[in-house]
Amino acid sequence: MKQSMLFTKTKFEAPKDEVSKNAQLLIRAGFVHKEMAGVYVYLPLGLRVLKNLTELIRKEMNDLGGQEILLSSLQNRVSWEKTGRWSDQVVDNWFKTKLKNGSEVGLATTHEEPLTELLLDHINSYRDLPVYIYQFQNKFRNEERAKSGILRGREFLMKDLYSFSESEAEHNKFYEKAIDVYHNIFSKVGIGDRTYLTFSDGGSFSDFSHEFQMITDAGEDTIYIDKEKKIAVNEEVLNDDVLSSLDLSRENLVEEKAVEVGNIFTLGNKFSSTLGLSFSAKTGEKNDVFMGCYGIGISRLMGSIVEALSDEKGLVWPMSIAPFSVHILQVGLNESVSQTSTDIYNTLVQEGVDVLLDDRQINAGEKFADSDLIGVPVQMIISEKNISSGEVELKERATGKVVMVDEAQVLDTVLRMIKE
Ligand code: ATP
Ligand code: MG
């Protein structure tokens, strides 16, 4: 993409009413627009990141055996009344509205009820199990506080997967695999070293649920980490019984602020028994399907990555989800600089590299500052001085490391940097 064509502009200052670092930087760099508190619009650069995150996670879900669907955002009151969750006393963050005929509908906060009911049409026997179903969808929650930018939205993108198994034993195997896959995902997006499997409230069915908590001062949760065992306990469940059941001792735990980027839950037969999702087992008897759910807040994850990796100059994206891999900064307005930039741009694009070319007629200092703010992992500086010696300058955004590369070696070097 040519930057002269990009309609978004960078801002020197963040809006005064925006207190969170993630929203300040994302707004300044033109990735998101704040529609109102807790509601953000994704602009071209921001949408590219969101799509890359979605694609990376989609691959992992497919490898786990997941099948993708898209459930509705408008939800049927009747399903939720069956499980008791329509009540505002039970779930207090619904957005509800009315049809013209006066009947109430809800805007989706989560999808256990509709998916479980939908499967009544498709699951009869043990041969139909297990099945793992997931989606990417906007959720709506009437959150009380929305001061954390895209970490806590009133409308936000979530990946939610639901597992349907024959037995607890089968469920447990999948659950363990899901934990590994989640760790993988968080490593691939650059926050593996600060994200901990965290034991948390299990609700009515199991002892614990598992949160994936990323350490950051921007987080609203407090967790206690055993750095050697690489697990943590959420403050909400921290007590002597829990510590001894997990074989942890209080003096080895460090307290940290953290944000929940993912959450996995054993649901057991909580929904299947109420909504009638049963199957005939090998033995001939009718059993309830054994369920689990597995969430990742995609937009929250994007904000968490910003909180974790950005620096005083701006955003820093890991290659795996960056809006572009290379940012070509055309410095100087003469013919040869513009020709070389365009040639290299075309070569990279032909090789499938995502390139942003800053071809705007502005001074070099502004280009460097904007590039640091936008945070593309590789900056390529093409100036008169460089090309007179047949070289271009490659600079790693994250480390500031600079290498001078022969024009003929540019493609190979860039492809290597992308792979690493
Ligand atoms: P929290 O405890 O932070 O309120 P939750 O426990 O209600 O979140 P879940 O219902 O388990 O969250 O949702 C799955 C995932 O969706 C969470 O792990 C989180 O990453 C994300 N998420 C939840 N609420 C929000 C929100 N308001 N904005 C953005 N992401 C969210
Ligand atoms: Mg939670």
Side-chain angles (χ1 to χ4, degrees):
M1 176 179 236
K2 306 235 165 106
Q3 211 165 334
S4 57
M5 306 299 284
L6 184 67
F7 79 84
T8 55
K9 302 279 179 292
T10 57
K11 290 183 170 57
F12 189 66
E13 273 180 69
K16 294 215 165 42
D17 61 335
E18 191 62 79
V19 291
S20 74
K21 175 164 107 174
N22 69 84
Q24 286 182 351
L25 285 174
L26 290 166
I27 291 171
R28 281 186 54 209
F31 283 60
V32 305
H33 165 81
K34 183 180 190 167
E35 188 64 26
M36 56 181 128
V39 182
Y40 292 87
V41 172
Y42 288 79
L43 301 169
L45 294 173
L47 185 59
R48 292 180 78 98
V49 175
L50 211 58
K51 281 187 167 169
N52 290 341
L53 262 177
T54 302
E55 200 43 42
L56 188 151
I57 292 172
R58 175 178 283 128
K59 284 207 183 86
E60 298 285 338
M61 293 304 110
N62 289 343
D63 286 351
L64 252 182
Q67 300 180 46
E68 187 172 356
I69 62 168
L70 183 59
L71 291 160
S72 65
S73 296
L74 289 179
Q75 299 208 334
N76 185 350
R77 178 172 60 92
V78 180
S79 304
W80 293 80
E81 277 174 347
K82 291 180 192 159
T83 62
R85 292 213 290 177
W86 182 256
S87 155
D88 289 334
Q89 273 74 56
V90 180
V91 179
D92 65 2
N93 60 8
W94 277 101
F95 285 107
K96 291 172 181 165
T97 186
K98 283 201 175 82
L99 301 182
K100 294 227 163 142
N101 68 10
S103 59
E104 275 187 303
V105 292
L107 279 177
T109 60
T110 179
H111 280 90
E112 285 81 3
E113 280 82 347
L115 182 56
T116 306
E117 285 220 298
L118 178 163
L119 286 178
L120 295 175
D121 288 349
H122 302 279
I123 290 178
N124 303 305
S125 114
Y126 69 91
R127 289 185 207 91
D128 304 324
L129 297 170
V131 58
Y132 312 117
I133 302 174
Y134 75 96
Q135 63 166 349
F136 295 93
Q137 209 206 32
N138 273 2
K139 304 285 195 243
F140 301 88
R141 293 185 184 179
N142 199 346
E143 301 279 3
E144 186 127 29
R145 288 165 301 158
K147 292 203 183 103
S148 306
I150 62 171
L151 297 186
R152 184 173 294 287
R154 297 199 164 105
E155 174 179 349
F156 62 95
L157 184 62
M158 194 199 286
K159 182 282 299 177
D160 40 337
L161 182 143
Y162 303 86
S163 66
F164 300 85
S165 303
E166 256 185 81
S167 63
E168 181 161 11
E170 188 187 81
H171 164 84
N172 288 342
K173 273 193 224 149
F174 180 78
Y175 195 90
E176 290 304 319
K177 265 202 260 174
I179 290 178
D180 289 344
V181 165
Y182 269 45
H183 278 307
N184 242 331
I185 290 170
F186 298 124
S187 299
K188 283 186 175 171
V189 301
I191 58 167
D193 58 340
R194 64 194 91 199
T195 302
Y196 288 87
L197 180 72
T198 304
F199 290 79
S200 173
D201 187 9
S204 54
F205 197 84
S206 64
D207 291 344
F208 297 108
S209 70
H210 292 92
E211 296 169 342
F212 290 79
Q213 293 272 4
M214 188 200 86
I215 299 176
T216 169
D217 288 337
E220 294 172 13
D221 294 353
T222 303
I223 62 169
Y224 291 82
I225 305 172
D226 186 319
K227 298 232 159 147
E228 219 151 89
K229 295 188 171 152
K230 296 203 166 68
I231 55 174
V233 180
N234 192 310
E235 157 185 67
E236 292 168 4
V237 297
L238 187 81
N239 63 47
D240 290 343
D241 286 350
V242 165
L243 290 181
S244 81
S245 78
L246 297 172
D247 200 20
L248 296 172
S249 48
R250 180 64 189 85
E251 59 272 22
N252 297 336
L253 303 180
V254 233
E255 180 187 313
E256 297 278 5
K257 298 292 286 172
V259 60
E260 178 196 314
V261 284
N263 193 186
I264 69 177
F265 235 89
T266 294
L267 301 170
N269 66 0
K270 183 174 161 190
F271 293 95
S272 54
S273 67
T274 318
L275 297 169
L277 185 64
S278 58
F279 66 99
S280 23
K282 276 196 191 94
T283 55
E285 63 188 16
K286 279 253 170 208
N287 290 339
D288 291 329
V289 173
F290 198 99
M291 292 171 53
C293 67
Y294 312 78
I296 295 181
I298 306 288
S299 40
R300 178 179 289 184
L301 180 55
M302 176 172 163
S304 303
I305 293 164
V306 173
E307 293 288 342
L309 305 184
S310 62
D311 61 21
E312 66 290 338
K313 292 182 191 143
L315 300 165
V316 177
W317 297 109
M319 191 59 91
S320 56
I321 58 154
F324 292 94
S325 307
V326 180
H327 198 176
I328 301 181
L329 309 179
Q330 183 181 308
V331 172
L333 298 173
N334 77 29
E335 187 54 33
S336 61
V337 167
S338 138
Q339 192 56 51
T340 308
S341 307
T342 312
D343 288 349
I344 293 179
Y345 174 80
N346 288 334
T347 309
L348 292 177
V349 169
Q350 252 164 33
E351 291 294 319
V353 180
D354 285 328
V355 193
L356 181 64
L357 168 62
D358 194 347
D359 56 342
R360 295 173 302 167
Q361 310 240 328
I362 57 172
N363 70 47
E366 265 180 273
K367 287 194 180 184
F368 294 141
D370 271 359
S371 183
D372 283 343
L373 179 59
I374 289 170
V376 171
V378 179
Q379 301 175 347
M380 181 186 294
I381 296 129
I382 301 183
S383 67
E384 208 167 339
K385 179 165 152 269
N386 290 344
I387 53 179
S388 65
S389 56
E391 289 181 315
V392 302
E393 179 181 334
L394 294 178
K395 185 172 175 188
E396 251 180 37
R397 171 64 182 91
T399 61
K401 212 180 91 192
V402 172
V403 280
M404 298 303 294
V405 184
D406 227 62
E407 256 182 68
Q409 300 298 313
V410 167
L411 177 62
D412 286 351
T413 312
V414 165
L415 291 177
R416 187 158 27 81
M417 288 172 98
I418 292 174
K419 268 214 196 94
E420 281 165 10

